[in-house]
Structure formats: structure tokens, C-alpha cells
């Protein structure tokens, strides 16, 4: 609800109610995601702009070969794909426990792309469990390590350097 206050004793009536879902913010401790048949419902988690987000899967399973676990470095499956798979396979069940991903954009999204037959909400032949996860946020590193350095001479006075910078 909201109302305008224009001065002492000069107030509008209260507005009608408006409901909304606030996005998840860092840190998140032991949140749960359960997927439905034939749906891909994105869970978006936001950090303070500029911060990194680390998503850790504490437990959870999917149907291997049919229900893919997706993680992206952006909202609602946008940005760079960080993971697309089923976890470790054991008898038709993909165990996601222990997977960890870091987003550098300040938002990370996860979802299960489920087929029309099986979900953690309504299991058929396989017994899967909801995805239990935690999220931590941190400031980006102030310095990156230089790795995979290579150098090649282009002429007698010029050298071309290439490298990959990684988090330290």
C-alpha cells in the first residue's frame, strides 16, 4: 500500500494492495528449488552490483538423460552458460551435490529443463530430490593471475604476448 503525504493533515487515501515477488539476494543459505514436468522455471539470484556470486549445490538430483540442470552467468538463462548437465550418474539419477559455480556479473540463474514425464514434485519411476543450494557474494578480486603465457616474435623489435587471466 502507498499514499501521498502532501503536508500536515493533507494525505491521500491508501492505494489498493500490490503484491510482487522480490528476487533472491545474497547471501542465500539453504534455499530449495523443485522443478515441474515440461517446464523450465528460472531461479534468479542477485548480488550487490559489481560483486561476484558463488552458487553451491548442497544436495539434489535430477533424472539423468532427460532433466538437465542449467546454470547461467546472467538472469533467466541469459549470459554465459556455466553448466548444462545431469551431475554424476547413478542408476538413472543425476546427483548434483557439490557442484559450485561463480558468476562475475552480479546475477546467477539456475533451472531444470524437464521433460514431460518426471520431476521432483511428481516423481514417476525415479525418486529425485529438490535442489538445496547456498549462495555467497564477494567483492571481485583486485588482481588476476596470469596463466598460459606465450610469446612470439613478429619481427626483430616486436614481441606478441598472449595469456589468460584467472582469479587468484
Amino acid at each position: 500500500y502507498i499514499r501521498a503525504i502532501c503536508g500536515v493533515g493533507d494525505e491521500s487515501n491508501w492505494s489498493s494492495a500490490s503484491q510482487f515477488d522480490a528476487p533472491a539476494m545474497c547471501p542465500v543459505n539453504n534455499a530449495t528449488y523443485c522443478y515441474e514436468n515440461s517446464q523450465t522455471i528460472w531461479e534468479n539470484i542477485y548480488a550487490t552490483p559489481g560483486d561476484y556470486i558463488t552458487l553451491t549445490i548442497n544436495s539434489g538430483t535430477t533424472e539423468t538423460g532427460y532433466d538437465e540442470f542449467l546454470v547461467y552467468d546472467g538472469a533467466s538463462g541469459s549470459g554465459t552458460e556455466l553448466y548444462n548437465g545431469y551431475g554424476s550418474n547413478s542408476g538413472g539419477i543425476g546427483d548434483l551435490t557439490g557442484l559450485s559455480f561463480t558468476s562475475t556479473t552480479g546475477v546467477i540463474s539456475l533451472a531444470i529443463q524437464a521433460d514431460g514425464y518426471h520431476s521432483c514434485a511428481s516423481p514417476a519411476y525415479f525418486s529425485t530430490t529438490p535442489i538445496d543450494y547456498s549462495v555467497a557474494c564477494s567483492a571481485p578480486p583486485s588482481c588476476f593471475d596470469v596463466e598460459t603465457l606465450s610469446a612470439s616474435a613478429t619481427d626483430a623489435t616486436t614481441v606478441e604476448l598472449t595469456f589468460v587471466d584467472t582469479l587468484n
Side-chain angles (χ1 to χ4, degrees), residues 148-153 159-162:
T148 319
L149 177 63
S150 66
S152 60
V159 174
E160 183 175 316
L161 300 174
T162 60

Side-chain angles (χ1 to χ4, degrees), residues 49-87:
D51 279 358
Y52 284 18
I53 301 175
T54 300
L55 167 70
T56 302
I57 307 303
N58 303 316
S59 63
T61 57
T62 63
E63 181 184 17
T64 299
Y66 299 97
D67 298 338
E68 294 175 281
F69 181 55
L70 309 171
V71 180
Y72 279 81
D73 191 10
S76 300
S78 64
T80 302
E81 181 180 82
L82 301 176
Y83 187 81
N84 180 339
Y86 307 103

Side-chain angles (χ1 to χ4, degrees), residues 1-136:
Y1 297 93
I2 190 171
R3 71 176 173 177
I5 299 176
C6 301
V8 177
D10 187 12
E11 301 170 348
S12 71
N13 292 324
W14 285 102
S15 70
S16 60
S18 180
Q19 184 176 350
F20 62 93
D21 292 324
M25 300 290 289
C26 269
V28 176
N29 295 309
N30 298 90
T32 304
Y33 174 86
C34 187
Y35 62 100
E36 294 290 337
N37 289 328
S38 301
Q39 296 182 20
T40 304
I41 302 170
W42 290 98
E43 179 84 10
N44 297 311
I45 301 138
Y46 296 88
T48 302
D51 279 358
Y52 284 18
I53 301 175
T54 300
L55 167 70
T56 302
I57 307 303
N58 303 316
S59 63
T61 57
T62 63
E63 181 184 17
T64 299
Y66 299 97
D67 298 338
E68 294 175 281
F69 181 55
L70 309 171
V71 180
Y72 279 81
D73 191 10
S76 300
S78 64
T80 302
E81 181 180 82
L82 301 176
Y83 187 81
N84 180 339
Y86 307 103
S88 59
N89 184 12
S90 177
I93 299 297
D95 186 2
L96 304 172
T97 303
L99 294 176
S100 185
F101 312 95
T102 298
S103 166
T104 61
T105 64
V107 60
I108 197 165
S109 58
L110 63 110
I112 301 290
Q113 187 172 4
D115 68 356
Y117 183 67
H118 181 79
S119 73
C120 65
S122 56
Y125 293 112
F126 298 108
S127 177
T128 62
T129 58
I131 311 305
D132 178 85
Y133 65 91
S134 298
V135 177

